[in-house]
Structure formats: structure tokens, C-alpha cells
Amino acid sequence: MLDEGRAAEHVPHILVIDDSPEDIRSLLVSLRGQPWRLTLASDPRQGYQRALALRPDLIVLDVRMPGMDGFTLCRLLREAPATRRTPVIFLSSAGTVEERLEGLSLGGVDYVLKPFAAEEVLARIRIHLQLAWRDEVVAPVEAAPSTQDTDQVMLRAAMRFIAQNLGELPPLTEIARKVGTHDKRLSGIFREHLGTTVFAYAREVRLRKGQELLADSQLSVQDIAELVGFRSACNFTTAFRERQGLTPSQYRQQAQGESVGT
């Protein structure tokens, strides 16, 4: 926890990322009335670069923006070392239950719907600043990331997205969009850093997850095949046997037999 002296010296820095600043004018006026530093970005990619370079104490983030939506931006912020622990408050008209849950599951600490009361948003910002200050040590500002650093962030974001969506993995273009790039660049990043294609990597993750489920659960082979994204138990069995030299049933018998014996 920061001591009172250090907390008094540090001026909180708030980054607001919204492509329509005129729609949140009341909040911006209120923020400028606080003893805080305020940075505004009206383009999500600009906001991402400013977040990495300036390392704000808290980010207020819209969802529906052109080019890169707020969910994609949050994925990248959560994978970048400079912003991994920065609180993100979503402030958006994207108000379905599914959208709110997605924002929170991606690491947002709060989700406020438009239209809003500026006083409520300020109160939530204060709360999350206080929570962040309990454990946060103020770090020096880092230089803007290199291209390789950006590639690593996108790679980690894509790997996490794949792992979380094995059962219904979307096409490559959609995976790339979810991490703020296009399919050719994402394919190049996977080839350069992992020496494989996106879907060869996904296949390997599916088989590893299937292997874990066979060893640690009583789910049927059919259920496991569906959970990890194979079209049928037959396809899963063929792929698993090619990788392990055993059928799923044989592997389970061996793995769970060893577990019981130890």
C-alpha cells in the first residue's frame, strides 16, 4: 500500500478512450475539475499507444469504436506488461448482458452504461483508484513499445483467446480482429515466434486440453471432443492417436490407472 505521503505526491492520471468525446462532455468537464491528470484519445489505436507510453493509473474505455472495439483493446492492454494491472472501466452504450459479461471477463473492473451520471462515474473512478493503490507501486514511464513487443502482445492475446474458445473457434480473420490485427499479420506472427500456423497451434492446444480432460475427468470421449472443438469423437480419436500413439480410451486407462496406483 502506498503511504499517505507518497499517495499525496502522486497525481492520478486518467486516460479516456472514446471515439465520440462530445457524447461524454459532462464527464470530461467533471474530470478536468478534479486534481487529476487527464489524457483523451479519440481513436482506439492512439489510445493503446498512449496507454503504453504514459502508463495511466486508470483507463475509461468505450466499446463500440471503429477499427478496433474496446473489447479488443482491453485484450491487448491485459497482455502488455506496462498496462496489465491498470484498472479499466468500460463506459459504453453496449449494454446487453452478454456485452457486459464479456467486458468483465476480459478484465474490466467496472462497466457503466451510457447515458450516465458524471458524478457516479467519478465515484467509481475514485473507488478503483483506491483499490489499485493498495498494492500498486508507481513505476517509471516506459518508452513506446517496439514492433516486436507489439507482436508479442498480439501473440499472447491470440493464444489466450484460442484457449478460451476451443469449442467454437471462429475463422482466422475473426481471431485476428479480436486481437487488433489482420489475418496475414497474425499468421506471420505465429510463424515467426512459434514456427507454426494459427490453426496448427490451435489443434495442438485442443489435443493438450483433451489429454488433460481424459486424465482428470470422467467425461465421455464424445463430450471431450465437443468441448475442445472437434467435430466428432472419431476425428478426435484419429488426431489423438496420431499425436500420442494411443486411442483416447487407452490413454485414459493408462493415465487414470497410474493415478490410482500412486
Side-chain angles (χ1 to χ4, degrees), residues 45 48 61 63 67-78 90 102 106 157 174-181:
R45 296 187 185 278
Y48 176 61
L61 179 59
V63 172
M68 179 192 297
D69 66 28
F71 295 150
T72 296
L73 180 49
C74 190
R75 283 189 187 90
L76 299 179
L77 292 171
R78 284 294 169 258
F90 286 102
E102 182 171 4
L106 289 172
E174 180 67 8
I175 297 173
R177 189 184 70 80
K178 290 289 188 180
V179 298
T181 189

Side-chain angles (χ1 to χ4, degrees), residues 119-135:
E119 296 80 3
E120 179 186 354
V121 180
L122 285 179
R124 292 174 185 261
I125 289 174
R126 288 192 191 97
I127 289 169
H128 291 296
L129 285 174
Q130 291 169 0
L131 291 173
W133 283 344
R134 288 182 179 179
D135 304 307

Side-chain angles (χ1 to χ4, degrees), residues 95-108:
T96 67
V97 172
E98 291 76 16
E99 287 169 321
R100 298 199 304 272
L101 288 175
E102 182 171 4
L104 295 172
S105 69
L106 289 172

Side-chain angles (χ1 to χ4, degrees), residues 30 44 55 89 93 109 111 127 134 154 186 199 224-225 230 257:
S30 296
R55 296 193 62 166
I89 296 178
S93 59
V109 298
Y111 202 112
I127 289 169
R134 288 182 179 179
M154 287 182 175
L186 187 62
F199 282 105
I224 291 174
F230 281 87

Side-chain angles (χ1 to χ4, degrees), residues 138-233:
V138 179
V141 172
E142 294 182 350
S146 67
T147 301
Q148 185 166 356
D149 292 335
T150 302
D151 286 355
Q152 288 283 0
V153 169
M154 287 182 175
L155 176 64
R156 290 194 297 268
M159 291 167 68
R160 189 181 301 275
F161 179 82
I162 288 168
Q164 293 172 340
N165 294 273
L166 287 177
E168 296 182 9
L169 199 61
L172 177 58
T173 53
E174 180 67 8
I175 297 173
R177 189 184 70 80
K178 290 289 188 180
V179 298
T181 189
H182 52 80
D183 54 350
K184 289 184 179 179
R185 183 179 181 191
L186 187 62
S187 295
I189 290 171
F190 267 75
R191 283 195 300 270
E192 179 180 352
H193 294 279
L194 300 181
T196 187
T197 67
V198 176
F199 282 105
Y201 170 81
R203 180 183 176 86
E204 183 65 18
V205 175
R206 282 170 162 155
L207 289 170
R208 287 203 306 266
K209 184 62 178 178
Q211 185 176 333
E212 292 174 10
L213 291 171
L214 287 166
D216 300 333
S217 78
Q218 297 302 319
L219 290 169
S220 69
V221 173
Q222 177 66 47
D223 286 343
I224 291 174
E226 292 177 2
L227 285 172
V228 300
F230 281 87
R231 292 182 179 178
S232 68

Side-chain angles (χ1 to χ4, degrees), residues 9-11 31 58 79 93 98 106 115 133 162 247 250-251:
E9 292 173 5
H10 179 65
V11 177
L31 285 170
L58 183 142
E79 298 299 339
S93 59
E98 291 76 16
L106 289 172
W133 283 344
I162 288 168
T247 66
Q250 290 169 336
Y251 177 83

